[in-house]
Structures are given as C-alpha cells and as structure tokens.
Amino acid sequence: MEPVLISIIIPTYNRADLLPETLDSVLNQSYETWECIIVDDGSSDHTPEIADRYTQKDARFKFFQRPADRKTGGNGARNFGFLKSNGKYIKWLDSDDLIAKDLLQKETQLLSQEKTDLIVSSWMYFDSANTHFPERNRLVKAAPKNGIDLLNKMGELGEFTPPPSYLLKREIVYLTGLWNENLRNNQDGEFSFRFLNYCTSIKYTDTIGTIVRKDSTEKAMQKQISGNMEARLKSWQCIESMIEARENPQQLAAYIEGHQSILYHELKNTGNWKLILKFRDFFRKNIKSERSRKAKAKFLYYQFQNFFS
C-alpha cells in the first residue's frame, strides 16, 4: 500500500509562546507523508514569524493568513485550511496541543484496502507545569463499530473525543460540511456530531496520540464554564434540532439524553437556575423528572419572578 498523505490543519491566534512545541510535535512524526497547513487568524504577536520559520525549515509546512472575507475565529481558519489541503485523511490540531511521535504511524498502519472512514486514538490532558493527567480511552476500549454507535457511547459514558484524536477521511468532510463559523463554543462537538453520522467504519488505536493542554487551576476552569455555558447550550440546541429532524431520532437518544443530563447537573450544581429555565425546552425531560424539593422550589421562584417582570 502506498503512503497516504495526511493533512494536519492548525488554526492559530497569538500563540507565539506555544506554537513551536506544537509544530515540533508534527515535525518529529515517524510517519513522513504529511502536510501541515497553518492558518493565522490575525495574530498581533510573533505567531506569523514563527509559522513562517517552520515553512523555511520544512516544505511540508504551509502558512496562510485567514482571508478578510472569511469570519474571524478558529472555525473560519480551519475551513480555509481544509480548502488549501490535499490529504486523503485530515487531522485537526489546535495550536497549543501536541501529538505523539508515533501517532500518524500507528494510525496509517490501520488503513487498508477495506473501507475506513475514521480512526480514533486515546488522549490525555497536560498543563503548563507539564503535569500529565490520566489517559482518556474508555471510548477506544468500547470500540463502537460506526459513528452512530460511537455517539451513543459518548452519551452513555459522558465522554467526548478532542478533534486531534480523529483521523478523518476527506470525503466525509465533503458529505457533512465544514465547521460552523457562527459557533463560538462546542464547535468541535457540533462538527463531530455531523461527521460521525456518516462514518460507517471506525478503527481504533489505544496509543495515547493526543496531548491536550489544559489550564489546571479550578478558578480558570470555572470562569470558562460560566462564561461559555449559554453558547454551549445553543450549540446543543442545534444538535438536538438535527437529531429531531432525522427519520428515526430515537436512534441517537442515548447521545442527546446523556449530554442533556451532564449539562443540566452542571448548571444545577452551580445554581444557574435562570439558565435552566431559559433553556427549559432543551431540559424538559430533566426538569420533569426532578425529584429535589429544593430544585422544584427554585424553578417556581424564578418562574414567579419572570411572570411579574
């Protein structure tokens, strides 16, 4: 089997301090048939100079500025990068994350003459202190055979897989469409939902292939959760509407219900009753099955306030 060209697409914005480590993880791959498309989203630091330096170091790196006629944000940069790519398989990599040296080698070893839409690898978190957190591979161990089963297993286990842990066949992107440039949160979840619907053959490697950078301070994590929750919920409403439009929406019941439960309890635990009520249609099953008297009292209180506001 001839080597398969892999396109690694990296959107970046003001990552001068972190981008070199990410690009080095690409440069050090034991598998050599790849191209790396870097798209800058309008950085004001030295990110463009660093990216350009790598194009001079190795011709497999290609650097572009996001055109002014595309929307700002990582999704617009990703979409533009895809249009500039040529690989048969695509890997989406954020500019502060890393991939293991043998990841592409392990993934391409699973490719054969038989149909393979997607390869999924294990992953783990690390932080700025270079502390590594336990690997995440429950989905890999479960090894669902197609995208619908993988989505339902995500809902059942309360898990997700970051985009760099996927190696996706290019044709699937043509079928499912590119990243939604209007989303600013959970865009990877919405995009993954769409392309997994078209994946009929999935293979897995238990290699810890993706190392995702994570801010380890609880304060920063809570700030991110509270500030982005409404945007997250809007993206999940979008996913729910796509599920309801299916001929058989119950086919993905475990996926949507699992994530509704996660989001509901996250809001409930932080006391964000107003947001639960704002998205009451999305949380209708969770609210209906609520047994806590305290929660029911809170719902009545905020509904009463809204009635007279």
Side-chain angles (χ1 to χ4, degrees):
M1 181 178 177
E2 291 186 5
V4 175
L5 178 64
I6 307 297
S7 292
I8 303 167
I9 299 172
I10 303 179
T12 187
Y13 175 75
N14 286 349
R15 291 294 193 186
D17 56 334
L18 301 176
L19 184 60
E21 191 175 7
T22 298
L23 298 184
D24 283 342
S25 77
V26 175
L27 186 61
N28 293 332
Q29 288 297 300
S30 55
Y31 183 80
E32 298 181 347
T33 310
W34 54 263
E35 63 174 3
C36 183
I37 313 295
I38 311 161
V39 182
D40 183 61
D41 191 36
S43 295
S44 58
D45 64 0
H46 297 297
T47 295
E49 289 90 334
I50 290 170
D52 190 59
R53 189 188 312 156
Y54 276 82
T55 65
Q56 297 176 36
K57 184 184 299 187
D58 193 309
R60 292 175 294 179
F61 288 104
K62 301 171 185 177
F63 175 57
F64 301 93
Q65 290 285 352
R66 175 188 48 76
D69 61 352
R70 296 202 75 96
K71 287 189 176 181
T72 60
N75 290 351
R78 291 182 183 97
N79 289 344
F80 183 73
F82 177 80
L83 296 177
K84 292 294 183 180
S85 69
N86 299 289
K88 184 175 181 179
Y89 282 82
I90 307 295
K91 183 170 290 294
W92 313 95
L93 180 63
D94 284 348
S95 58
D96 58 346
D97 296 336
L98 310 175
I99 52 176
K101 183 177 181 178
D102 61 350
L103 176 60
L104 297 186
Q105 187 70 50
K106 291 287 182 64
E107 289 175 328
T108 53
Q109 285 173 353
L110 293 174
L111 298 178
S112 63
Q113 297 302 319
E114 63 183 273
K115 179 179 173 64
T116 305
D117 295 325
L118 181 72
I119 295 173
V120 184
S121 63
S122 297
W123 62 281
M124 70 189 314
Y125 282 123
F126 79 115
D127 63 16
S128 55
N130 206 30
T131 301
H132 288 69
F133 299 84
E135 65 182 273
R136 310 288 290 271
N137 66 356
R138 289 200 296 169
L139 290 170
V140 170
K141 287 183 177 179
K145 296 187 182 300
N146 58 62
I148 298 297
D149 290 346
L150 178 54
L151 286 167
N152 281 322
K153 185 58 69 172
M154 286 179 179
E156 178 187 326
L157 297 176
E159 288 278 8
F160 79 103
T161 299
S165 292
Y166 293 125
L167 185 68
L168 179 63
K169 195 172 186 179
R170 185 182 194 88
E171 282 80 359
I172 298 295
V173 182
Y174 292 136
L175 289 171
T176 194
L178 288 166
W179 294 70
N180 186 335
E181 297 184 19
N182 294 315
L183 292 180
R184 288 292 183 266
N185 198 276
N186 193 42
Q187 53 265 52
D188 50 349
E190 191 270 346
F191 178 65
S192 298
F193 169 78
R194 283 189 283 117
F195 74 67
L196 284 172
N197 275 273
Y198 288 90
C199 292
T200 60
S201 175
I202 303 177
K203 295 183 180 180
Y204 300 84
T205 170
D206 60 5
T207 298
I208 303 175
T210 307
I211 304 96
V212 177
R213 194 179 298 270
K214 174 182 181 180
D215 192 324
S216 62
T217 65
E218 189 67 19
K219 183 178 179 180
M221 290 174 66
Q222 289 302 321
K223 181 178 179 182
Q224 181 182 19
I225 289 171
S226 61
N228 292 331
M229 180 56 82
E230 187 162 356
R232 285 172 64 191
L233 286 169
K234 287 179 179 178
S235 77
W236 278 103
Q237 278 186 320
C238 180
I239 291 171
E240 184 184 41
S241 67
M242 286 188 281
I243 291 175
E244 290 178 345
R246 295 173 63 90
E247 185 175 337
N248 182 12
Q250 283 303 309
Q251 191 179 32
L252 281 163
Y255 175 67
I256 191 66
E257 289 175 8
H259 288 285
Q260 281 172 333
S261 180
I262 291 169
L263 292 165
Y264 176 79
H265 286 96
E266 193 172 311
L267 286 170
K268 180 180 171 180
N269 292 337
T270 56
N272 202 336
W273 307 102
K274 288 185 178 180
L275 203 53
I276 292 175
L277 286 172
K278 184 174 181 178
F279 288 85
R280 58 169 61 85
D281 288 340
F282 181 73
F283 291 123
R284 55 193 177 275
K285 290 184 179 179
N286 306 92
I287 295 172
K288 187 176 181 180
S289 62
E290 180 61 68
R291 296 183 178 181
S292 166
R293 290 184 178 180
K294 178 181 177 181
K296 290 180 178 179
K298 288 286 185 180
F299 290 143
L300 287 172
Y301 172 73
Y302 283 112
Q303 285 177 323
F304 183 79
Q305 275 196 330
N306 291 337
F307 182 79
F308 288 101
S309 62

